[in-house]
Coordinates of all heavy atoms in Angstrom, one line a residue:
G26 N -8.9 17.2 -7.2 CA -8.2 16.7 -6.1 C -9.1 15.8 -5.2 O -8.8 14.7 -4.8
S27 N -10.4 16.1 -5.1 CA -11.3 15.4 -4.3 C -11.7 14.0 -5.0 O -11.8 13.1 -4.4 CB -12.5 16.2 -4.0 OG -13.2 16.5 -5.1
Y28 N -11.8 14.2 -6.3 CA -12.1 12.9 -7.0 C -10.9 12.0 -7.1 O -11.0 10.8 -7.0 CB -12.6 13.3 -8.5 CG -14.0 13.7 -8.5 CD1 -14.4 15.0 -8.5 CD2 -15.0 12.6 -8.5 CE1 -15.8 15.3 -8.5 CE2 -16.3 13.0 -8.5 CZ -16.7 14.3 -8.5 OH -18.0 14.6 -8.6
L29 N -9.7 12.6 -7.2 CA -8.4 11.8 -7.3 C -8.3 11.1 -5.9 O -7.9 9.8 -5.8 CB -7.2 12.6 -7.6 CG -5.9 11.9 -7.5 CD1 -5.9 10.8 -8.4 CD2 -4.8 12.9 -7.7
A30 N -8.6 11.8 -4.9 CA -8.4 11.2 -3.5 C -9.3 10.0 -3.3 O -9.0 9.0 -2.9 CB -8.6 12.2 -2.4
S31 N -10.5 10.1 -3.8 CA -11.6 9.1 -3.6 C -11.1 8.0 -4.6 O -11.3 6.8 -4.1 CB -12.9 9.6 -4.2 OG -13.5 10.5 -3.4
L32 N -10.5 8.2 -5.8 CA -10.1 7.0 -6.7 C -8.9 6.3 -5.9 O -8.9 5.1 -5.9 CB -9.6 7.6 -8.0 CG -9.0 6.6 -8.9 CD1 -10.0 5.6 -9.4 CD2 -8.4 7.2 -10.1
L33 N -8.0 7.0 -5.4 CA -6.9 6.4 -4.7 C -7.4 5.6 -3.5 O -6.8 4.5 -3.3 CB -6.0 7.5 -4.2 CG -5.1 8.3 -5.3 CD1 -4.3 9.4 -4.7 CD2 -4.2 7.3 -6.0
L34 N -8.4 6.0 -2.8 CA -8.9 5.2 -1.7 C -9.6 3.9 -2.2 O -9.3 2.8 -1.7 CB -10.1 6.0 -0.9 CG -9.5 7.2 -0.1 CD1 -10.8 7.9 0.4 CD2 -8.8 6.5 1.1
E35 N -10.3 4.0 -3.3 CA -10.7 2.8 -4.0 C -9.7 1.8 -4.4 O -10.0 0.7 -4.4 CB -11.6 3.2 -5.2 CG -13.0 3.9 -4.9 CD -13.6 4.4 -6.2 OE1 -13.3 3.9 -7.3 OE2 -14.5 5.3 -6.0
K36 N -8.6 2.4 -4.8 CA -7.4 1.4 -5.2 C -6.8 1.0 -4.0 O -5.6 0.3 -4.1 CB -6.4 2.3 -6.0 CG -7.1 2.8 -7.3 CD -7.4 1.7 -8.3 CE -8.0 2.2 -9.6 NZ -8.4 1.2 -10.5
G37 N -7.1 1.2 -2.7 CA -6.5 0.7 -1.5 C -5.3 1.5 -1.0 O -4.5 1.0 -0.2
Q38 N -5.1 2.8 -1.4 CA -4.0 3.6 -1.0 C -4.4 4.3 0.3 O -5.6 4.5 0.5 CB -3.8 4.6 -2.1 CG -3.4 4.0 -3.5 CD -2.3 3.0 -3.5 OE1 -1.2 3.3 -3.0 NE2 -2.7 1.9 -4.0
T39 N -3.3 4.6 1.0 CA -3.5 5.5 2.2 C -3.4 7.0 1.7 O -2.3 7.3 1.1 CB -2.5 5.2 3.2 OG1 -2.6 3.9 3.6 CG2 -2.6 6.1 4.4
V40 N -4.3 7.8 2.0 CA -4.3 9.1 1.4 C -4.3 10.2 2.4 O -5.0 10.2 3.3 CB -5.6 9.3 0.4 CG1 -5.6 10.7 -0.2 CG2 -5.7 8.3 -0.6
Y41 N -3.5 11.1 2.1 CA -3.3 12.4 2.9 C -3.6 13.5 1.9 O -3.1 13.4 0.7 CB -1.9 12.5 3.4 CG -1.5 11.4 4.4 CD1 -1.0 10.3 3.9 CD2 -1.6 11.6 5.8 CE1 -0.6 9.2 4.8 CE2 -1.1 10.6 6.6 CZ -0.8 9.4 6.1 OH -0.4 8.4 6.9
G42 N -4.3 14.5 2.4 CA -4.6 15.6 1.4 C -4.4 16.9 2.2 O -4.8 17.1 3.3
T43 N -3.9 17.9 1.5 CA -3.7 19.3 1.9 C -4.9 20.0 1.4 O -5.3 19.9 0.4 CB -2.4 19.9 1.6 OG1 -2.4 20.2 0.1 CG2 -1.2 19.0 1.9
V44 N -5.3 20.9 2.3 CA -6.3 22.0 2.1 C -5.8 23.3 2.6 O -5.0 23.4 3.6 CB -7.6 21.7 2.7 CG1 -8.3 20.4 2.1 CG2 -7.6 21.7 4.2
H45 N -6.1 24.4 1.8 CA -5.7 25.7 2.2 C -6.3 26.0 3.6 O -7.4 25.6 3.9 CB -6.0 26.7 1.2 CG -5.5 28.0 1.5 ND1 -6.0 28.9 2.3 CD2 -4.3 28.5 0.9 CE1 -5.2 30.1 2.4 NE2 -4.2 29.9 1.6
P46 N -5.5 26.5 4.5 CA -6.1 26.8 5.8 C -7.4 27.6 6.0 O -8.2 27.4 6.8 CB -4.9 27.7 6.4 CG -3.7 27.4 5.8 CD -4.2 27.0 4.3
R47 N -7.7 28.4 4.9 CA -9.0 29.1 4.8 C -10.1 28.2 4.1 O -11.3 28.7 4.0 CB -8.9 30.4 4.3 CG -8.1 31.4 5.1 CD -8.1 32.8 4.6 NE -7.7 32.9 3.2 CZ -6.5 33.3 2.7 NH1 -5.6 33.5 3.5 NH2 -6.4 33.4 1.4
A48 N -9.8 27.1 3.5 CA -10.7 26.3 2.8 C -11.5 25.4 3.5 O -11.1 25.0 4.7 CB -10.0 25.6 1.7
E49 N -12.8 25.0 3.1 CA -13.5 24.0 3.8 C -13.0 22.6 3.4 O -12.4 22.4 2.3 CB -14.9 24.0 3.3 CG -15.6 25.5 3.6 CD -16.5 25.4 4.7 OE1 -16.9 24.3 5.0 OE2 -16.8 26.5 5.2
E50 N -13.0 21.6 4.4 CA -12.6 20.4 4.1 C -13.7 19.7 3.2 O -14.9 20.0 3.5 CB -12.4 19.6 5.4 CG -11.2 20.0 6.3 CD -11.1 19.2 7.6 OE1 -11.7 18.1 7.6 OE2 -10.4 19.6 8.4
P51 N -13.3 19.0 2.3 CA -14.3 18.3 1.4 C -15.2 17.3 2.2 O -14.6 16.4 2.7 CB -13.5 17.7 0.3 CG -12.0 17.7 0.7 CD -12.0 18.7 1.9
D52 N -16.5 17.5 2.2 CA -17.4 16.6 2.9 C -17.2 15.2 2.4 O -17.3 14.3 3.2 CB -18.9 17.1 2.8 CG -19.2 18.3 3.5 OD1 -18.4 18.6 4.5 OD2 -20.0 19.1 3.1
S53 N -17.0 15.0 1.2 CA -17.0 13.7 0.6 C -15.7 12.8 1.1 O -15.7 11.7 1.0 CB -16.9 13.6 -0.8 OG -15.7 14.3 -1.4
L54 N -14.7 13.5 1.7 CA -13.6 12.9 2.2 C -13.4 12.9 3.7 O -12.4 12.2 4.1 CB -12.2 13.6 1.5 CG -12.2 13.6 0.0 CD1 -11.1 14.4 -0.4 CD2 -12.1 12.1 -0.5
K55 N -14.2 13.5 4.3 CA -14.1 13.5 5.8 C -14.1 12.1 6.4 O -14.9 11.3 6.0 CB -15.3 14.3 6.4 CG -15.1 15.9 6.3 CD -16.1 16.7 7.1 CE -15.7 18.1 7.0 NZ -16.8 19.0 7.4
D56 N -13.3 12.0 7.4 CA -13.1 10.5 8.0 C -12.6 9.5 7.1 O -12.6 8.3 7.5 CB -14.4 10.2 8.6 CG -14.9 11.2 9.7 OD1 -14.1 11.8 10.4 OD2 -16.1 11.5 9.8
R57 N -12.3 9.8 5.9 CA -11.7 8.9 4.9 C -10.3 9.0 4.6 O -9.6 8.0 4.3 CB -12.5 8.9 3.6 CG -14.0 8.6 3.8 CD -14.8 8.7 2.5 NE -14.3 7.8 1.5 CZ -14.5 8.0 0.1 NH1 -14.9 9.1 -0.2 NH2 -14.0 7.2 -0.6
I58 N -9.7 10.3 4.7 CA -8.4 10.5 4.5 C -7.9 11.5 5.7 O -8.6 12.1 6.4 CB -8.0 11.3 3.1 CG1 -8.6 12.7 3.2 CG2 -8.7 10.5 2.0 CD1 -8.1 13.4 1.9
T59 N -6.6 11.5 5.7 CA -6.0 12.5 6.7 C -5.9 13.9 6.0 O -5.2 14.0 5.0 CB -4.6 12.0 7.2 OG1 -4.7 10.7 7.8 CG2 -4.0 13.0 8.2
I60 N -6.6 14.8 6.6 CA -6.6 16.2 6.0 C -5.5 17.0 6.8 O -5.5 17.0 8.0 CB -8.0 16.9 6.1 CG1 -9.1 16.0 5.5 CG2 -7.9 18.3 5.7 CD1 -9.1 16.3 4.0
L61 N -4.8 17.7 6.0 CA -3.7 18.5 6.6 C -3.8 19.9 6.1 O -3.8 20.2 4.9 CB -2.3 18.0 6.2 CG -2.0 16.7 6.7 CD1 -0.8 16.0 5.9 CD2 -1.7 16.5 8.1
K62 N -4.0 20.9 7.0 CA -4.1 22.4 6.6 C -2.7 22.8 6.1 O -1.7 22.6 6.9 CB -4.6 23.2 7.8 CG -6.0 22.9 8.2 CD -7.0 23.4 7.3 CE -8.4 23.3 7.8 NZ -9.4 24.0 7.1
C63 N -2.6 23.3 4.9 CA -1.3 23.8 4.3 C -1.5 24.8 3.2 O -2.2 24.5 2.3 CB -0.6 22.5 3.9 SG 1.1 22.9 3.2
D64 N -0.9 26.0 3.5 CA -0.8 26.9 2.4 C 0.5 26.5 1.6 O 1.6 26.6 2.1 CB -0.6 28.3 3.0 CG -0.5 29.4 2.0 OD1 -0.2 29.1 0.8 OD2 -0.6 30.5 2.4
I65 N 0.3 26.1 0.4 CA 1.5 25.6 -0.4 C 2.6 26.7 -0.6 O 3.7 26.3 -0.9 CB 1.0 25.2 -1.8 CG1 2.0 24.2 -2.4 CG2 0.6 26.2 -2.7 CD1 2.2 22.8 -1.8
S66 N 2.2 28.0 -0.4 CA 3.3 29.0 -0.5 C 4.0 29.3 0.9 O 4.8 30.2 1.0 CB 2.7 30.3 -1.0 OG 1.7 30.8 -0.2
D67 N 3.8 28.4 1.9 CA 4.4 28.5 3.2 C 5.5 27.3 3.2 O 5.1 26.2 3.6 CB 3.3 28.4 4.3 CG 4.0 28.3 5.7 OD1 5.2 28.1 5.9 OD2 3.1 28.5 6.6
R68 N 6.7 27.8 3.0 CA 7.7 26.8 2.8 C 7.9 25.9 4.0 O 8.0 24.6 4.0 CB 9.1 27.5 2.6 CG 10.3 26.5 2.5 CD 11.6 27.2 2.5 NE 11.9 27.9 1.3 CZ 12.6 27.6 0.3 NH1 13.3 26.4 0.4 NH2 12.8 28.3 -0.8
K69 N 7.9 26.4 5.3 CA 8.0 25.6 6.5 C 6.9 24.6 6.6 O 7.2 23.5 7.0 CB 8.2 26.5 7.7 CG 8.3 25.7 9.0 CD 8.5 26.5 10.2 CE 8.7 25.6 11.4 NZ 8.4 24.2 11.5
R70 N 5.7 25.0 6.4 CA 4.5 24.2 6.5 C 4.6 23.0 5.5 O 4.2 21.9 5.8 CB 3.2 24.9 6.4 CG 2.0 24.1 6.5 CD 1.8 23.5 7.9 NE 0.8 22.5 8.0 CZ 0.8 21.4 8.6 NH1 1.8 20.9 9.2 NH2 -0.3 20.6 8.6
V71 N 5.0 23.3 4.3 CA 5.2 22.3 3.3 C 6.3 21.3 3.7 O 6.1 20.1 3.6 CB 5.6 22.9 1.8 CG1 5.9 21.8 0.9 CG2 4.4 23.8 1.4
D72 N 7.4 21.8 4.2 CA 8.4 20.9 4.8 C 7.9 20.0 5.9 O 8.1 18.8 5.9 CB 9.5 21.8 5.5 CG 10.5 22.3 4.4 OD1 10.5 22.0 3.2 OD2 11.3 23.2 4.9
D73 N 7.0 20.6 6.8 CA 6.4 19.8 7.9 C 5.5 18.7 7.3 O 5.6 17.5 7.9 CB 5.7 20.7 8.9 CG 6.6 21.7 9.6 OD1 7.8 21.4 9.7 OD2 6.1 22.6 10.3
V74 N 4.7 19.1 6.3 CA 3.7 18.1 5.8 C 4.5 17.0 5.2 O 4.3 15.7 5.5 CB 2.7 18.8 4.9 CG1 2.0 17.7 4.0 CG2 1.8 19.6 5.6
V75 N 5.4 17.2 4.3 CA 6.2 16.1 3.6 C 6.9 15.2 4.7 O 7.0 14.0 4.6 CB 7.3 16.8 2.7 CG1 8.2 15.8 2.1 CG2 6.4 17.4 1.5
S76 N 7.6 15.9 5.7 CA 8.3 15.2 6.8 C 7.3 14.2 7.5 O 7.7 13.1 7.9 CB 9.0 16.1 7.7 OG 10.0 16.7 7.1
E77 N 6.1 14.7 7.8 CA 5.1 13.9 8.5 C 4.6 12.8 7.7 O 4.5 11.7 8.2 CB 4.0 14.9 9.0 CG 2.9 14.1 9.7 CD 1.7 15.1 10.0 OE1 1.9 16.3 10.1 OE2 0.6 14.6 10.2
V78 N 4.3 13.1 6.4 CA 3.6 12.0 5.7 C 4.6 11.1 5.1 O 4.2 9.8 4.9 CB 2.8 12.7 4.5 CG1 2.2 11.6 3.5 CG2 1.7 13.6 5.1
K79 N 5.7 11.5 4.7 CA 6.7 10.7 4.0 C 6.0 10.0 2.8 O 6.0 8.7 2.8 CB 7.4 9.7 4.9 CG 8.3 10.3 6.0 CD 8.9 9.4 6.9 CE 9.8 10.1 8.0 NZ 9.1 11.1 8.8
P80 N 5.5 10.7 1.9 CA 4.6 10.1 0.8 C 5.5 9.3 -0.2 O 6.6 9.6 -0.5 CB 4.1 11.3 0.1 CG 5.0 12.3 0.3 CD 5.6 12.1 1.7
D81 N 4.9 8.1 -0.6 CA 5.5 7.4 -1.7 C 5.2 8.1 -3.1 O 5.9 7.9 -4.1 CB 4.9 6.0 -1.7 CG 5.3 5.2 -0.5 OD1 6.4 5.0 -0.2 OD2 4.3 4.8 0.3
C82 N 3.9 8.7 -3.1 CA 3.7 9.4 -4.3 C 2.9 10.7 -3.9 O 2.2 10.7 -2.9 CB 2.7 8.5 -5.2 SG 1.3 7.9 -4.5
V83 N 3.1 11.7 -4.7 CA 2.6 13.0 -4.6 C 1.9 13.4 -5.8 O 2.4 13.4 -6.9 CB 3.7 14.0 -4.2 CG1 3.1 15.4 -3.9 CG2 4.5 13.7 -3.0
F84 N 0.6 13.9 -5.6 CA -0.1 14.5 -6.8 C -0.3 15.9 -6.4 O -1.1 16.3 -5.6 CB -1.5 13.8 -6.9 CG -1.3 12.3 -7.2 CD1 -1.3 11.3 -6.3 CD2 -1.2 12.0 -8.6 CE1 -1.1 10.0 -6.5 CE2 -1.1 10.6 -8.9 CZ -1.0 9.6 -7.9
H85 N 0.4 16.7 -7.1 CA 0.5 18.2 -6.8 C -0.6 18.9 -7.6 O -0.3 19.3 -8.8 CB 1.9 18.7 -7.0 CG 2.1 20.2 -6.8 ND1 1.5 20.8 -5.7 CD2 2.7 21.2 -7.5 CE1 1.8 22.1 -5.7 NE2 2.6 22.3 -6.8
L86 N -1.6 19.3 -6.9 CA -2.8 19.9 -7.6 C -3.1 21.3 -6.9 O -3.9 22.1 -7.5 CB -4.1 19.1 -7.5 CG -4.0 17.7 -8.1 CD1 -5.2 16.9 -7.8 CD2 -3.6 17.8 -9.5
A87 N -2.4 21.6 -5.8 CA -2.6 22.9 -5.2 C -2.2 24.0 -6.1 O -1.0 24.0 -6.6 CB -1.8 23.0 -3.8
A88 N -3.1 24.9 -6.4 CA -2.7 26.0 -7.4 C -3.7 27.1 -7.2 O -4.8 26.9 -6.9 CB -2.6 25.4 -8.8
Q89 N -3.2 28.2 -7.9 CA -4.2 29.3 -8.3 C -4.5 28.8 -9.7 O -3.7 28.9 -10.6 CB -3.6 30.7 -8.2 CG -4.6 31.9 -8.4 CD -5.2 31.9 -9.8 OE1 -6.3 31.4 -9.9 NE2 -4.5 32.4 -10.7
S90 N -5.7 28.4 -10.0 CA -5.9 27.6 -11.3 C -6.9 28.4 -12.2 O -7.3 27.7 -13.2 CB -6.6 26.3 -10.9 OG -7.7 26.4 -10.1
L91 N -7.0 29.7 -12.1 CA -7.9 30.4 -13.0 C -7.2 31.5 -13.7 O -6.3 32.2 -13.1 CB -9.0 31.0 -12.2 CG -9.9 30.0 -11.4 CD1 -10.8 30.7 -10.4 CD2 -10.7 29.1 -12.4

Side-chain angles (χ1 to χ4, degrees):
S27 62
Y28 279 97
L29 176 60
S31 292
L32 176 66
L33 292 169
L34 287 169
E35 288 174 21
K36 301 287 184 187
Q38 306 303 308
T39 301
V40 181
Y41 299 80
T43 68
V44 299
H45 191 276
R47 292 189 309 263
E49 302 256 340
E50 293 182 15
D52 288 335
S53 64
L54 297 173
K55 282 187 178 169
D56 303 322
R57 297 177 60 211
I58 72 171
T59 302
I60 301 282
L61 303 162
K62 297 283 188 174
C63 179
D64 178 343
I65 199 70
S66 61
D67 178 343
R68 178 189 290 259
K69 180 173 180 347
R70 181 64 185 135
V71 173
D72 284 346
D73 292 345
V74 166
V75 169
S76 293
E77 177 183 336
V78 175
K79 295 180 181 53
D81 299 302
C82 55
V83 178
F84 297 92
H85 180 40
L86 303 174
Q89 188 299 99
S90 59
L91 301 170

